[in-house]
Amino acid sequence: MKKLFYIGIAAIILYEIAKVYFIMPMPGSQQMNSIDLAYFLHSWRWFFRIFFWVLILSGAISVFKAKRKWLPALVLLIAAGITYATNFEMAADTMFYQPNEVILHHAAQNKVEDNRLVIGVEANGEAKAYPIQYIGYHHQVQDILGGKPIIVTYCTVCRTGRVFEPLVNGQKDAFRLVGMDHFNAMFEDQTTGSWWRQANGEAIAGPLKGKFLPELPITQTSLAQWLRLHPDSKIMQPDPAYQVKYDSMSRYETGKGRSALTLTDTTSWKDKSWVVGIKVGQASKAFDWNRLKKERIINTSVGSRPIAVVLSEDDKSIFAFDRVTQTNTFSVNHDTLFLKNSAYNFLGKSVSGSATDLKPVNAYQEFWHSWRTFNPKTERY
């Protein structure tokens, strides 16, 4: 019976550590294709826990009758401590909280510095901007835009900002941060318990595996640039309860954060080098940030689709547009796009008369390791 006690202790310790190891950034864990195992351990957690604790209790009487009662008491305390730490101190949703209230102001009342990076999104005539400094800590912010629910997400380890409609089987659902897979944040929906990848809104484990959340087009830009294009936009304001957390994120957007997981490689095509990723259908292409800063605008194709990628004068705001034909070559000057005798702003709107407006294309800034992981057939530019 004594063996049952120590077998149970060893098993519960290994189980609780393994359950966290596969979904948190621990040595080696994020390089594995272990999401199915991680989801299995999570789904059967109460079975494993009950079984292992039954073993512990079955042998407890025998071990505590022995003279050296301190030894079983010590290992029992260790097991309890590890269980508590892995389920509370190390759980993703107890490390990063959602804001108590999503506070949004128009430009006149705004307190966010205009050089801050934001994820801008527009729907049904309403525009809102969410500073990366804030959503980078929260990982997700749920809001209403243009009359429909949205979930604004950001993964600092991948440098990926995405906005989705939080619809599961067509119904609005709540999500919690559950961990990460290949360094990308994962969310669990409340209804089915499926796990969803932040980088593309795909369910990668659970009953809805293979499904996707509806995604909204976004713009990553400085707040100043966003307000020039959307002067009536609202801007997310800081929640006072998390000011210390926001302060710790103040250097992140420049690539000078203190964490090894988020520190930027300044040379090109390293794991944490910045790229601009564009996906058109099944085709995808990554653009080196350093080259984009040098050339300012790139006329190319993604798959068979002619694309123009442009970086604004603030060296922060990125935009992409459909060129329609391979012969259309755009240039840029003082944040205005030019094609032959036509001029356009960064919304793709003609500012020179009757020219047809341009069609924007989603462009994402992120770390190279993230883009190539989730777009394994990507081309490089």
Side-chain angles (χ1 to χ4, degrees):
M1 297 299 286
K2 290 182 180 180
K3 289 183 178 180
L4 291 179
F5 176 83
Y6 289 106
I7 289 173
I9 289 289
I12 194 66
I13 289 175
L14 289 174
Y15 168 74
E16 295 293 355
I17 291 175
K19 189 171 69 66
V20 170
Y21 173 81
F22 291 116
I23 58 172
M24 295 298 280
M26 297 183 178
S29 70
Q30 295 300 302
Q31 284 82 16
M32 302 179 185
N33 293 318
S34 56
I35 193 63
D36 290 332
L37 174 58
Y39 192 77
F40 170 77
L41 293 176
H42 173 76
S43 300
W44 288 83
R45 61 194 180 280
W46 291 114
F47 170 81
F48 287 116
R49 287 168 176 165
I50 291 171
F51 179 72
F52 295 146
W53 280 103
V54 165
L55 293 182
I56 293 169
L57 294 175
S58 298
I61 295 176
S62 297
V63 296
F64 280 103
K65 282 183 178 179
K67 291 182 179 179
R68 293 192 299 175
K69 295 182 177 62
W70 64 269
L71 182 59
L74 177 61
V75 296
L76 188 62
L77 184 62
I78 291 173
I82 290 175
T83 299
Y84 175 82
T86 54
N87 284 279
F88 295 97
E89 297 297 326
M90 299 176 67
D93 59 347
T94 61
M95 298 170 67
F96 305 99
Y97 293 95
Q98 293 185 50
N100 298 321
E101 179 186 3
V102 181
I103 306 168
L104 295 121
H105 288 160
H106 285 103
Q109 294 82 37
N110 170 57
K111 296 181 180 179
V112 180
E113 297 171 325
D114 64 6
N115 65 339
R116 287 292 183 181
L117 273 179
V118 301
I119 297 298
V121 60
E122 181 182 13
N124 297 329
E126 184 176 22
K128 291 184 179 181
Y130 301 85
I132 286 175
Q133 184 183 10
Y134 307 153
I135 57 173
Y137 164 70
H138 294 297
H139 285 72
Q140 63 158 320
V141 172
Q142 298 191 36
D143 199 10
I144 302 292
L145 179 71
K148 61 183 178 181
I150 61 169
I151 176 172
V152 185
T153 70
Y154 198 90
C155 177
T156 55
V157 183
C158 288
R159 206 173 175 88
T160 45
R162 304 287 190 271
V163 177
F164 304 101
E165 293 182 60
L167 302 178
V168 175
N169 291 328
Q171 301 295 317
K172 183 180 181 299
D173 210 334
F175 292 78
R176 74 179 186 95
L177 183 67
V178 71
M180 60 171 52
D181 175 58
H182 288 86
F183 294 106
N184 188 241
M186 290 188 303
F187 301 100
E188 181 183 73
D189 71 71
Q190 191 174 66
T191 301
T192 74
S194 299
W195 287 357
W196 303 80
R197 177 181 291 148
Q198 183 272 341
N200 60 5
E202 180 184 6
I204 56 175
L208 299 182
K209 185 175 181 179
K211 301 290 186 181
F212 286 84
L213 296 174
E215 185 178 356
L216 279 70
I218 63 166
T219 303
Q220 180 174 302
T221 173
S222 66
L223 179 57
Q225 182 71 263
W226 178 258
L227 289 176
R228 277 194 289 272
L229 299 172
H230 301 275
D232 294 328
S233 175
K234 290 183 178 179
I235 306 103
M236 179 184 173
Q237 304 298 300
D239 183 332
Y242 300 104
Q243 190 60 55
V244 173
K245 300 294 185 181
Y246 300 150
D247 291 343
S248 71
M249 287 280 299
S250 62
R251 292 160 55 91
Y252 169 80
E253 32 190 274
T254 61
K256 299 177 181 178
R258 297 181 178 88
S259 170
L261 289 171
T262 60
L263 192 62
T264 294
D265 287 315
T266 55
T267 53
S268 302
W269 304 116
K270 304 297 184 182
D271 280 354
K272 291 185 176 61
S273 300
W274 293 1
V275 300
V276 174
I278 294 179
K279 188 171 183 179
V280 177
Q282 298 302 310
S284 61
K285 184 175 284 189
F287 300 84
D288 171 34
W289 185 261
N290 292 326
R291 185 171 178 179
L292 183 58
K293 283 182 67 176
K294 182 179 179 180
E295 297 184 16
R296 196 60 56 181
I297 188 167
I298 296 172
N299 292 277
T300 184
S301 296
V302 178
S304 61
R305 189 170 177 182
I307 297 291
V309 186
V310 60
L311 177 66
S312 76
E313 290 183 333
D314 62 16
D315 285 341
K316 298 179 179 182
S317 308
I318 51 175
F319 305 89
F321 301 94
D322 190 334
R323 290 192 294 128
V324 184
T325 69
Q326 296 288 359
T327 57
N328 285 341
T329 300
F330 287 88
S331 61
V332 63
N333 187 30
H334 296 303
D335 285 353
T336 300
L337 288 171
F338 295 93
L339 174 64
K340 300 177 181 176
N341 296 322
S342 300
Y344 305 85
N345 65 17
F346 281 158
L347 289 176
K349 303 294 185 182
S350 172
V351 294
S352 60
S354 59
T356 302
D357 291 343
L358 304 178
K359 183 178 180 180
V361 175
N362 245 12
Y364 308 105
Q365 184 206 59
E366 56 189 83
F367 286 135
W368 170 231
H369 77 80
S370 171
W371 184 259
R372 72 166 186 257
T373 296
F374 304 120
N375 298 277
K377 295 182 179 180
T378 191
E379 296 181 54
R380 300 199 306 186
Y381 184 93

